[in-house]
Amino acid sequence: MAGRRKAHRASEESKQAILEAVLSRAVEAGYEGTTMADVARASGLPIGSVYWHFQNKEQLFVELLEYSFEVWKRANADFGGMRDLLRRTIGESAAASASLAEPAAAFWSIGLVFAFERRLEDNLARQRYLAIREEMFQFVTSRLRAAYPKVPEDVAAALAHDLAVMGRALTDGFRVAAAAGDDTDFARYAELAADALESLVATRLKEYAHA
């Protein structure tokens, strides 16, 4: 029994090592440009070992997205409102352009491939990316909604939804800027984006107060 647990632990560690090793390659080369041979080279493991853990590239990318999403959830479990969220997510755009091995940033960079590549529509990794993206949206919406406890439920829900949509659009835009290599002060623009969204909140709450 102890030997079986030890073997299982070693197997999980090997799988984790593969996911961590292939992040840079996946971000740099995208889905089409990443091969299982690349994965083996990046991880330093025999290709047979890679196929033992992942049936094919599709499954590998599904689990790579899952891994990056788990890192993102841990990193954002305690964000303190829209300003903090934007500072973190837009800041990760800078991380994406500077470090190809940062999982939270890698999720968005890899995701851009699946967002734009319609011919991958039936690909399981693309479907999982879209599902995770919706989970992220619901997570952010619920946290923002809780930030307005004294506002009627329908008003808070609508406001949280609008903020989540705008925040996601801004973050996506900065991801593209990072991928294109734009010389952008991400920290500064995160603050400007937060200023704009906080102004939107103030306007909406004022409209509610005078309704």
Side-chain angles (χ1 to χ4, degrees), residues 167-190:
R168 184 167 65 178
L170 285 163
T171 300
D172 284 347
F174 281 106
R175 297 284 172 214
V176 174
D182 292 355
D183 184 14
T184 303
D185 184 340
F186 292 99
R188 176 171 178 264
Y189 283 100

Side-chain angles (χ1 to χ4, degrees), residues 151-165:
V151 177
E153 175 65 17
D154 59 334
V155 176
L159 185 57
H161 180 272
D162 288 349
L163 287 175
V165 169

